[in-house]
Amino acid sequence: MILDRRQAIVTSSIFLPPFAKGVLGNLAISNCSDLICNYTPVSFREDIKLEDLFLYRGNTIPLDDVAQVVDPEPDLLMEGTYDDPLALKYFECLEKVLCAFPVRPSTGHIATSNQQEAGKWGQTVSVWPLGSSWAYVWPEDNEIFFPTKCKDQCDDSELALNQRLPDALHRNREVLFTSWFDDQQAVSLPKNFKSLRSAFLIIPSRFDAQLKVELQKRNYGLS
């Protein structure tokens, strides 16, 4: 059963600053917090602030710089992403279950509040979706999407769609997310950002404490 609040969470208008896609360079953490406070979904920041927990991914290429904007191709429907061949069947099943929604394996990426779990995939980095809208889904009955009790089947999984992110953060659940810029905002974006979907900022977890201080100073960009 899919528990759905709405198909997407839409936030106020945002405009991306004129930085180039790719490595941001040796930005101060204060610059990163400004980027987060101004160019990530408001509802995402509200929930992160509420729980005082970040979402993480394992970055396969270690970052030498403080931060980087990335827009990788979704890889959950690619062979070899998981070692288990049943994983592809599971995510193909999940794709069908979520076919009517913006977030699904073909459009999204997985993150988790569990740093240990994220670290299995590479360097642990906090994840900050970029966009004026975003959508997410997480499994109610398991910390991770795969493997599950049903192995390659997902039909019986209870999925929480666009709701209770604080609960997912607190329970160390994996979160499949996607974000995008609405057409109205895209008009004002730099050319190399107009087609971005599910782009996000990543910051090595070793900067977490500093980042939290800077975000708290700015109240996470919330009024």
Side-chain angles (χ1 to χ4, degrees):
M1 176 178 64
I2 297 178
L3 306 177
D4 182 17
R5 186 173 70 194
R6 57 186 183 275
Q7 283 200 3
I9 294 178
V10 181
T11 66
S12 58
S13 299
I14 64 174
F15 298 96
L16 209 63
F19 57 76
K21 184 173 68 174
V23 176
L24 294 177
N26 292 316
L27 285 182
I29 288 297
S30 59
N31 297 128
C32 293
S33 62
D34 283 339
L35 183 63
I36 290 168
C37 289
N38 288 286
Y39 308 112
T40 60
V42 171
S43 59
F44 175 77
R45 281 180 272 128
E46 288 174 338
D47 290 341
I48 293 294
K49 177 189 175 185
L50 180 65
E51 284 300 307
D52 194 30
L53 293 170
F54 292 168
L55 279 177
Y56 300 93
R57 282 171 59 85
N59 197 47
T60 54
I61 302 176
L63 283 181
D64 294 325
D65 298 282
V66 171
Q68 190 176 36
V69 171
V70 296
D71 62 331
E73 287 292 327
D75 60 2
L76 295 174
L77 297 179
M78 296 180 183
E79 292 185 2
T81 299
Y82 284 75
D83 292 333
D84 192 331
L86 292 178
L88 183 57
K89 291 184 178 180
Y90 170 81
F91 285 109
E92 287 175 341
C93 174
L94 192 62
E95 180 77 12
K96 293 177 181 177
V97 170
L98 297 172
C99 64
F101 303 103
V103 61
R104 51 191 185 275
S106 64
T107 65
H109 302 282
I110 289 177
T112 175
S113 59
N114 186 336
Q115 289 197 51
Q116 184 176 1
E117 183 65 32
K120 294 177 181 178
W121 296 84
Q123 179 191 27
T124 307
V125 295
S126 62
V127 175
W128 304 89
L130 298 175
S132 51
S133 300
W134 81 304
Y136 64 93
V137 62
W138 55 277
E140 290 269 14
D141 56 354
N142 204 37
E143 282 196 8
I144 58 178
F145 280 97
F146 183 88
T148 67
K149 299 174 184 177
C150 300
K151 296 184 178 179
D152 61 340
Q153 296 300 311
C154 63
D155 303 84
D156 296 330
S157 297
E158 190 171 78
L159 302 172
L161 183 64
N162 293 332
Q163 61 178 313
R164 304 197 333 272
L165 180 61
D167 194 17
L169 292 169
H170 183 69
R171 295 166 63 188
N172 285 335
R173 293 297 194 259
E174 284 190 337
V175 177
L176 176 63
F177 71 93
T178 187
S179 60
W180 62 93
F181 293 100
D182 294 329
D183 291 340
Q184 184 176 358
Q185 284 82 39
V187 173
S188 301
L189 294 175
K191 290 182 179 179
N192 60 337
F193 277 91
K194 287 185 178 181
S195 62
L196 288 188
R197 188 179 181 93
S198 202
F200 46 92
L201 175 71
I202 56 176
I203 304 172
S205 59
R206 65 179 181 272
F207 296 109
D208 278 2
Q210 296 168 259
L211 182 60
K212 283 186 179 182
V213 169
E214 293 299 327
L215 288 172
Q216 289 165 357
K217 285 181 183 178
R218 294 161 174 75
N219 193 34
Y220 284 75
L222 304 170
S223 57

